Amino acid sequence: MMTREQYILQKQEIDEQMKQTRIAERKETAAVNDDYELRMRDLADAYRRQRQALFEERDQKRTEIESRYKDKRRALWVKDCELVSRWRAQLNNGEITPPHHQWRRAA
């Protein structure tokens, strides 16, 4: 048979063990949370670096495209200038005859 004092001692011991399990659980949970928080921070940093690299790659390709089309437009502009120069030179030489239209005079 158990005495009241034995019962109280065992009850207190069980209560203390219960308390210690809660404390240990909180410590382990906090350690896991800290570990995963650090890993999430590392992943977020890696994501930002990769995202920045992707933006830089996109900007570089855009610049290459812009440059390529600028070169094409520049070449077309040179051709246009040459065409206009030839046309104006012909006009100054009188080689081109104006189109023949019958002009009506206002009455």
Side-chain angles (χ1 to χ4, degrees):
M1 174 137 188
M2 182 183 306
T3 66
R4 182 173 189 273
E5 291 172 357
Q6 291 173 333
Y7 166 77
I8 291 175
L9 287 175
Q10 286 184 6
K11 178 74 170 143
Q12 286 176 346
E13 187 178 318
I14 290 172
D15 287 345
E16 182 61 29
Q17 288 176 358
M18 188 73 76
K19 180 181 173 183
Q20 293 303 320
T21 61
R22 287 188 185 110
I23 291 170
E25 178 185 11
R26 281 194 296 267
K27 284 182 181 178
E28 282 188 51
T29 301
V32 167
N33 287 340
D34 289 345
D35 180 49
Y36 277 87
E37 184 64 33
L38 288 174
R39 290 170 62 185
M40 290 293 285
R41 210 173 300 148
D42 290 344
L43 286 172
D45 291 343
Y47 166 76
R48 280 192 288 278
R49 283 191 304 275
Q50 289 175 350
R51 185 172 182 247
Q52 184 61 35
L54 194 63
F55 282 147
E56 289 172 3
E57 180 182 337
R58 179 195 65 182
D59 291 343
Q60 179 184 359
K61 288 186 179 193
R62 283 180 171 178
T63 302
E64 290 171 2
I65 291 169
E66 288 173 4
S67 177
R68 190 172 65 242
Y69 280 98
K70 270 186 184 178
D71 290 344
K72 287 181 181 183
R73 284 191 298 273
R74 190 174 293 123
L76 289 171
W77 182 75
V78 168
K79 285 182 180 180
D80 183 59
C81 288
E82 290 171 355
L83 177 67
V84 170
S85 294
R86 284 196 320 259
W87 174 255
R88 288 182 179 170
Q90 290 175 354
L91 288 178
N92 290 336
N93 291 337
E95 296 175 6
I96 298 179
T97 56
H100 294 285
H101 292 289
Q102 292 188 357
W103 297 93
R104 294 185 188 177
R105 291 188 176 175

